């Protein structure tokens, strides 16, 4: 296992617009349209958004606020750079991998933030072991699915919940 987490910074240029196809939009304050998961956004042109420069003005501030935590580009990397847009049969497996990696990356981010708490030595070790478990060197779409749907997310949540006593309480006003 690796103790080095993946880069969690989104890199849209290394992705295949997975968020624009995999995610559902509900018409409202954040999105101007309803869009089901698995359907490409009507503003998507290959890997680019045709209204990117004007997303908030066009009714899509949710797109501006969204970040995949690096799951998009990592998904494409796990498929050797192939895109669902060039090979439509990859859409379902790439959407699944994107969903699984997003879950894993969210957990890595939370564990990274937990380092800022006054952890006991035991908690520091546990935090690092959970990060290592989320970051195997042999990551594949199958490994991502196994990790994201197995007991590990529950273990991370239980660990983070155990840290609640370490966070300062703000007095009720």
């Amino acid at each position: 296992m690796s103790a080095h987490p993946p880069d969690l910074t989104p890199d849209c240029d290394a992705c295949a617009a997975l968020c624009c196809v995999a995610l559902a939009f509900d018409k409202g304050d954040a999105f101007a349209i309803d869009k089901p998961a698995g359907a490409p956004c009507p503003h998507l042109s290959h890997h680019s958004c045709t209204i990117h420069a004007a997303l908030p003005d066009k009714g899509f501030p949710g797109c501006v606020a969204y970040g995949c935590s690096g799951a998009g580009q990592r998904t494409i990397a796990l498929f050797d750079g192939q895109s669902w847009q060039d090979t439509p049969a990859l859409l379902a497996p790439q959407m699944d991998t994107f969903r699984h990696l997003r879950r894993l990356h969210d957990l890595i981010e939370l564990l990274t933030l937990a380092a800022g708490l006054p952890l006991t030595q035991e908690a520091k070790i546990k935090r690092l072991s959970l990060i290592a478990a989320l970051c195997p060197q042999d990551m594949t779409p199958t490994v991502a699915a196994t990790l994201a749907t197995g007991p590990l997310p529950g273990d991370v949540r239980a660990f983070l919940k155990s840290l609640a006593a370490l966070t300062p309480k703000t007095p009720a006003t």
Side-chain angles (χ1 to χ4, degrees):
M1 285 194 260
S2 169
H4 302 289
D7 185 356
L8 302 179
T9 306
D11 181 359
C12 297
D13 291 335
C15 182
L18 285 166
C19 61
C20 301
V21 67
L23 302 177
F25 303 164
D26 291 325
K27 185 175 181 175
D29 292 341
F31 300 101
I33 61 170
D34 285 327
K35 184 195 85 63
C41 175
H43 301 291
L44 183 63
S45 176
H46 199 60
H47 294 272
S48 299
C49 175
T50 60
I51 62 168
H52 190 269
L55 283 167
D57 296 335
K58 299 285 186 177
F60 292 88
C63 295
V64 176
Y66 179 77
C68 74
S69 300
Q73 71 260 19
R74 193 167 185 209
T75 296
I76 297 304
L78 291 180
F79 283 85
D80 298 322
Q82 296 179 26
S83 165
W84 64 272
Q85 293 183 11
D86 299 321
T87 308
L90 291 177
L91 179 59
Q94 286 189 339
M95 284 187 354
D96 286 343
T97 300
F98 176 74
R99 179 174 44 89
H100 295 136
L101 287 175
R102 179 58 205 258
R103 185 173 193 196
L104 299 175
H105 288 200
D106 285 348
L107 296 171
I108 293 166
E109 281 186 320
L110 291 171
L111 289 167
T112 301
L113 289 171
L117 297 171
L119 302 176
T120 65
Q121 188 61 28
E122 180 183 340
K124 289 177 183 178
I125 292 168
K126 178 68 172 175
R127 186 187 74 80
L128 291 174
S129 72
L130 287 169
I131 290 174
L134 290 165
C135 302
Q137 289 180 346
D138 61 343
M139 184 63 80
T140 65
T142 301
V143 171
T146 300
L147 291 175
T149 61
L152 188 55
D155 294 345
V156 172
R157 283 191 302 278
F159 171 73
L160 293 170
K161 189 175 181 178
S162 77
L163 303 178
L166 301 176
T167 59
K169 305 291 186 236
T170 53
T173 56

